[in-house]
Amino acid sequence: MSGHTTFKVGGKADLMVYPGDAEELGKVICMLKDEGLPFLMLGSGSNLLVSDEGLRGAVISLKEGFRNIEIADELTIDCGAGLSLGVLVNFAAGHALSGIEFLSGIPGTVGGALWMNAGAFGSEIKDVIASVSFADSNGDLKNIGINDLPFSYRKLDVDPRCVVTGCRLVLEKGDESIIREKIRSYATRRAESQPLGRATAGSVFKNPPGDFAGRLIEDAGMKGVHMGKAKVSEKHANFIENTGGASARDIFELMRKVAAKVFESSGIQLEPEVKIVGEGLGPWQ
Ligand SMILES: Cc1cc2nc3c(=O)[nH]c(=O)nc-3n(C[C@H](O)[C@H](O)[C@H](O)COP(=O)(O)OP(=O)(O)OC[C@H]3O[C@@H](n4cnc5c(N)ncnc54)[C@H](O)[C@@H]3O)c2cc1C
């Protein structure tokens, strides 16, 4: 899995499946259910910490069969869960549709962004969603409107055995050059504040209510602290960098150390934003 995650860590998965369409996905889900095998949905692996022992069961990627994108009507876009956010943002800009510029620079897929309710610069993906399509635990497809979707901070609280297959976005008419300028300004802000180009998974901890995990970590004196080859970023304290050859265990133990120090100095219990998966990494708390 180290080749499929932005942290560049993670042992072997037993099986990787790339369903080509919804029918194949449905069959895969049913087959795995019949065999009693678990599965993990993989987007771009940009919010995942996979253990060194790897993953039992199957990993399902929608990056081959679910990358459709089209204008549904004047202001709406339909797209597949395996599409990268960069392609989506660029497509919208090219059609002078505004509202998702904030997603530029998030290195995930549409499916991963919906699952995580990805957000930046004061907006979240839920703000621009009309509906999300899913395959349920029997492989049957369903479409759910925004009013019935339980989005919250970095979370879409649906049955964890559901698979997001795509969504409909509702945007606003804009001016392409202004949209592209906004995308450039967000990119500049990211480059100034985040260790881009390093092996990270973005923010490792959620921001506690009314505060910032990065500020608490910095105040706890943890910036630049190492565990093996994992290091708390000097540029953004809520990022952990794999400086080359880190194990998932290094990252996990560094996260625990950071959380313990923050608790000691502020009394605040940080909660991981990255999804910790696979065998071998002990429970978080
Ligand atoms: C440099 C950098 C900057 C980042 N900046 C931001 C930011 O500004 N804001 C932000 O919110 N995040 C940010 N992230 C984190 C990450 O990119 C987002 O959480 C992203 O939405 C994850 O998408 P993914 O496709 O990589 O999902 P993955 O990491 O592959 O998966 C994340 C979770 O979603 C589940 N999942 C993925 N696809 C599906 C699907 N089709 N159906 C059901 N479940 C699915 C996975 O099982 C897992 O639980 C950043 C990461 C990096 C490395």
Side-chain angles (χ1 to χ4, degrees):
M1 291 302 294
S2 58
H4 297 279
T5 60
T6 55
F7 257 146
K8 300 195 190 307
V9 302
K12 289 191 182 200
D14 288 344
L15 179 68
M16 189 86 150
V17 193
Y18 294 89
D21 56 28
E23 195 186 332
E24 281 186 17
L25 173 64
K27 282 185 186 159
V28 168
I29 290 173
C30 289
M31 213 181 281
L32 292 168
K33 192 175 179 185
D34 289 348
E35 297 293 331
L37 291 172
F39 68 85
L40 175 83
M41 288 309 299
L42 175 70
S44 293
S46 63
N47 201 51
L48 283 179
L49 176 59
V50 181
S51 70
D52 302 308
E53 286 77 2
L55 294 159
R56 307 291 72 87
V59 173
I60 302 179
S61 167
L62 303 185
K63 277 195 160 179
E64 300 218 330
F66 293 78
R67 287 187 302 178
N68 56 296
I69 182 159
E70 62 185 9
I71 299 286
D73 70 40
E74 211 191 337
L75 300 177
T76 59
I77 293 177
D78 284 345
C79 62
L83 192 77
S84 83
L85 293 174
V87 172
L88 170 62
V89 170
N90 192 43
F91 179 90
H95 288 82
L97 289 174
S98 174
I100 48 171
E101 296 88 333
F102 71 92
L103 290 175
S104 65
I106 302 181
T109 58
V110 168
L114 288 164
W115 199 258
M116 296 304 303
N117 187 22
F121 307 112
S123 299
E124 296 173 320
I125 196 167
K126 73 161 176 48
D127 303 336
V128 289
I129 291 299
S131 60
V132 175
S133 50
F134 296 90
D136 68 16
S137 58
N138 295 315
D140 296 327
L141 290 182
K142 54 186 180 181
N143 196 56
I144 302 183
I146 183 67
N147 294 335
D148 297 315
L149 288 167
F151 279 111
S152 58
Y153 175 51
R154 298 293 175 269
K155 195 170 179 182
L156 172 55
D157 202 3
V158 292
D159 180 343
R161 294 163 306 169
C162 276
V163 171
V164 174
T165 57
C167 71
R168 171 166 288 189
L169 300 126
V170 187
L171 304 176
E172 288 170 5
K173 202 69 196 162
D175 176 293
E176 183 174 351
S177 60
I178 294 173
I179 293 169
R180 294 210 183 271
E181 184 47 44
K182 205 166 174 186
I183 292 170
R184 270 193 296 276
S185 85
Y186 284 148
T188 307
R189 283 169 69 181
R190 276 184 191 275
E192 281 165 4
S193 62
Q194 298 178 1
L196 304 183
R198 305 285 169 91
T200 75
S203 297
V204 283
F205 295 106
K206 293 182 182 179
N207 288 324
D211 212 332
F212 293 97
R215 186 194 73 77
L216 292 164
I217 297 166
E218 200 170 338
D219 285 1
M222 293 302 283
K223 234 182 183 180
V225 170
H226 283 257
M227 179 76 74
K229 299 281 185 184
K231 178 183 142 187
V232 178
S233 173
E234 304 271 6
K235 200 160 183 185
H236 191 312
N238 199 19
F239 279 53
I240 287 181
E241 298 173 15
N242 174 356
T243 61
S247 62
R249 169 68 56 190
D250 289 341
I251 295 171
F252 183 75
E253 294 302 340
L254 184 54
M255 286 176 66
R256 294 239 289 214
K257 188 168 177 181
V258 166
K261 285 282 179 195
V262 166
F263 187 67
E264 209 177 285
S265 64
S266 68
I268 293 174
Q269 198 81 63
L270 291 179
E271 196 190 320
E273 178 170 324
V274 293
K275 299 286 182 191
I276 301 166
V277 295
E279 295 195 320
L281 288 180
W284 170 248
Q285 279 170 341

